[in-house]
């Protein structure tokens, strides 16, 4: 039987419409976009990540509407126990069997460095907000990872410059003996040498140590103008408390090279007052930061720090990229994330470079004296704003193979 011309034309049109419809449908794997928060829930970094990071990611998903391209967005979480083998096993399980599309937070630099490589192998996405090592966008960069909130280069660039300008040109490092501490000391040392500063000594302490007495005695004996603590977590808080008890801070300046808002809260203003620090976010910076932070406080009963704000902002940016790409396929989403600017309470005109570094303004703050604090969590006063184009390592100095030179 022959098909008449009108019928043949109608059939061809229907087939074309059907083909276009199939092609235009969003390509979401497993009909769900799944986000995994891999973090420290129980260890010494839990106050800088943990439940707060999960809450921030969940807030972003809820504010986005709970769905993207018509499918639900699911958030799961796990405690990596600060053990790289545990973290990598969970990462592979999430990517391979639970079909997680993006893993975030990743506090603990050794863990972050491992996870971004698995993301590259599995063609999934990793967004780092908790860890700081600048290697993540330097020699260890990948096309599948983003370093969002801060890094050791930016911390060193801000705090070291501010102290050098005060004449504090001799330094002794008290460094946590793991990837983050080593990167922070290395990046700070480079800044010092470039500006005629001098390192007069250093000592590495075990990351889990609670007694810094012998290390601080060496720092005191060095006569350095600055005793720089290159570490994080509860061990950092203990080191600052011990330095205060030893009387360091009179003739010597105690510098925290990574200071979280929760650290200052734990230390109290009596101990932390006068400390200079570099940060990506402060809850009381402006109306937008205050509005979001008050919502976070309602959930967590504490004010957020830059890790929390970065987890929210980067999750929202990721979901916007999935929406724009029409798929959760990693390559397409990463391309959209790098092409779309970031404008929210966390960053203005932020952007993700080819090395995966999200560049934005950084801020140098001084911790207030108790007499200067007017209300709860009123801890910082702004000393300087570091523009995005100079806050982070310039691409001209990058060892990232993704950077064209």
């Amino acid at each position: 039987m022959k098909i008449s011309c009108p019928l043949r034309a109608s059939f061809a049109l229907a087939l074309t419409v059907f083909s276009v419809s199939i092609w235009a449908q969003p390509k979401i794997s497993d009909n769900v976009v799944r986000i995994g928060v891999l973090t420290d829930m129980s260890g010494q970094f839990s106050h800088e990540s943990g439940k707060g990071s999960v809450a921030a990611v969940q807030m972003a998903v809820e504010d986005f509407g709970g769905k993207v391209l018509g499918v639900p967005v699911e958030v799961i979480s796990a405690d990596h126990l600060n053990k790289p083998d545990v973290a990598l096993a969970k990462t592979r399980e999430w990517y391979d069997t639970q079909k997680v599309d993006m893993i975030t937070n990743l506090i603990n630099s050794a863990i972050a460095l491992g996870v971004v490589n698995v993301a590259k192998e599995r063609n999934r996405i990793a967004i780092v907000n908790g860890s700081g090592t600048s290697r993540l966008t330097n020699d260890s960069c990948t096309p599948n990872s983003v370093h969002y909130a801060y890094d050791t280069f930016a911390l060193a660039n801000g705090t070291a410059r501010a102290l050098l300008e005060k004449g504090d040109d001799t330094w002794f490092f008290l460094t946590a003996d793991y990837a983050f501490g080593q990167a922070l000391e290395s990046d700070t040392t480079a800044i010092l040498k470039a500006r005629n500063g001098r390192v007069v000594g250093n000592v590495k302490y075990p990351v889990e140590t609670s007694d810094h007495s012998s290390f601080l005695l060496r720092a005191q004996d060095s006569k350095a103008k600055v005793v720089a603590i290159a570490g994080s977590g509860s061990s950092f808080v203990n080191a600052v408390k011990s330095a205060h008890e030893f009387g360091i801070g009179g003739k010597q300046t105690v510098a925290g090279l990574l200071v979280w808002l929760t650290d200052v809260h734990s230390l109290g203003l009596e101990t932390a007052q006068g400390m200079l620090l570099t940060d990506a976010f402060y809850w009381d910076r402006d109306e937008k930061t205050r509005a979001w932070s008050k919502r976070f406080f309602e959930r967590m009963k504490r004010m957020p720090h830059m890790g929390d704000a970065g987890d929210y902002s980067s999750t929202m940016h990721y979901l916007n990229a999935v929406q724009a790409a029409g798929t959760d396929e990693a390559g397409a989403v990463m391309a959209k994330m790098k092409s779309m600017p970031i404008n929210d309470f966390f960053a203005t005109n932020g952007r993700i470079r080819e090395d995966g570094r999200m560049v934005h303004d950084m801020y140098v703050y001084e911790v207030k004296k108790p007499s200067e604090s007017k209300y709860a969590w009123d801890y910082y006063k702004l000393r300087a704003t570091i523009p995005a184009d100079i806050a982070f390592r310039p691409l001209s100095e990058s060892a990232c193979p993704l950077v064209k030179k």
Side-chain angles (χ1 to χ4, degrees):
M1 182 181 67
K2 292 184 178 180
I3 301 175
S4 66
C5 288
L7 285 176
R8 188 181 295 116
S10 297
F11 179 76
L13 177 61
L15 183 61
T16 300
V17 170
F18 176 76
S19 300
V20 170
S21 175
I22 292 296
W23 179 258
Q25 287 181 355
K27 299 176 182 178
I28 299 296
S29 58
D30 307 304
N31 291 315
V32 62
V33 171
R34 192 168 286 115
I35 298 171
V37 185
L38 189 56
T39 186
D40 178 4
M41 291 286 196
S42 55
Q44 67 161 304
F45 307 123
S46 56
H47 293 294
E48 290 81 42
S49 55
K51 293 179 181 179
S53 61
V54 177
V57 171
Q58 288 174 331
M59 284 175 68
V61 171
E62 291 166 15
D63 288 351
F64 196 82
K67 291 185 176 182
V68 60
L69 297 173
V71 304
V73 181
E74 179 182 334
V75 178
I76 61 176
S77 62
D79 187 350
H80 57 47
L81 304 174
N82 289 305
K83 296 179 179 179
D85 57 336
V86 172
L88 293 180
K90 179 58 67 175
T91 297
R92 294 186 181 101
E93 175 194 332
W94 276 358
Y95 284 152
D96 295 345
T97 65
Q98 297 197 42
K99 307 303 180 184
V100 167
D101 297 287
M102 185 269 279
I103 295 178
T104 192
N105 188 256
L106 298 171
I107 200 163
N108 187 313
S109 289
I111 284 170
L113 287 165
V115 170
V116 299
N117 281 324
V118 180
K120 178 183 176 181
E121 292 169 3
R122 301 303 199 268
N123 193 33
R124 302 296 171 85
I125 291 174
I127 301 179
V128 182
N129 280 294
S131 302
T133 176
S134 61
R135 289 189 59 201
L136 287 161
T137 53
N138 199 33
D139 61 300
S140 295
C141 71
T142 84
N144 292 69
S145 55
V146 177
H147 204 181
Y148 202 86
Y150 75 102
D151 66 22
T152 52
F153 183 94
L155 297 177
N157 199 22
T159 304
R161 283 191 182 196
L163 288 169
L164 285 169
E165 287 173 4
K166 290 177 58 182
D168 291 337
D169 56 359
T170 56
W171 289 53
F172 185 98
F173 284 96
L174 195 65
T175 301
D177 193 12
Y178 73 123
F180 168 75
Q182 293 160 13
L184 190 48
E185 180 182 340
S186 176
D187 283 339
T188 307
T189 298
I191 296 291
L192 294 175
K193 289 182 177 178
R195 289 161 180 79
N196 299 316
R198 189 160 55 93
V199 178
V200 299
N202 67 340
V203 62
K204 289 182 171 59
Y205 65 86
V207 67
E208 297 291 347
T209 192
S210 58
D211 184 3
H212 297 81
S213 301
S214 61
F215 309 123
L216 288 167
L217 284 171
R218 290 176 61 179
Q220 223 171 15
D221 291 342
S222 74
K223 309 299 182 185
K225 292 179 182 178
V226 176
V227 176
I229 304 174
S232 185
S234 57
S235 184
F236 165 79
V237 172
N238 290 334
V240 175
K241 287 180 178 178
S242 296
H244 186 72
E245 292 166 2
F246 270 70
I248 298 174
K251 293 183 178 180
Q252 293 174 296
T253 297
V254 177
L257 295 178
L258 171 58
V259 183
W260 300 90
L261 185 71
T262 45
D263 295 337
V264 174
H265 188 70
S266 296
L267 288 165
L269 294 183
E270 188 64 41
T271 299
Q273 61 181 308
M275 185 180 292
L276 287 176
L277 59 97
T278 302
D279 212 317
F281 171 86
Y282 179 45
W283 76 270
D284 207 11
R285 189 175 73 220
D286 56 39
E287 287 302 319
K288 287 184 178 180
T289 60
R290 283 188 282 273
W292 183 82
S293 297
K294 288 175 181 176
R295 292 176 54 214
F296 182 90
F297 185 89
E298 290 173 2
R299 297 195 181 207
M300 296 303 300
K301 306 308 176 188
R302 69 164 174 82
M303 282 301 178
H305 49 59
M306 64 178 167
D308 303 317
D311 281 324
Y312 178 98
S313 176
S314 60
T315 300
M316 188 66 76
H317 188 61
Y318 168 76
L319 292 173
N320 279 318
V322 172
Q323 182 80 45
T327 178
D328 59 356
E329 192 278 321
V333 175
M334 285 296 298
K336 286 296 182 182
M337 289 182 73
K338 290 179 178 179
S339 69
M340 296 164 60
I342 297 154
N343 286 293
D344 59 13
F345 69 91
F346 180 80
T348 302
N349 295 321
R351 63 183 181 88
I352 299 172
R353 300 187 311 199
E354 55 264 51
D355 60 348
R357 176 67 257 170
M358 201 281 266
V359 293
H360 50 82
D361 292 351
M362 294 288 289
Y363 307 90
V364 178
Y365 292 103
E366 181 180 337
V367 178
K368 290 183 174 182
K369 299 175 182 177
S371 60
E372 295 174 312
S373 180
K374 304 303 181 185
Y375 40 85
W377 296 88
D378 176 24
Y379 294 158
Y380 295 168
K381 48 188 175 184
L382 182 65
R383 287 303 186 207
T385 298
I386 310 171
D389 59 346
I390 63 172
F392 296 93
R393 188 191 310 277
L395 290 177
S396 60
E397 298 176 8
S398 177
C400 172
L402 301 174
V403 176
K404 296 178 181 179
K405 294 186 178 180

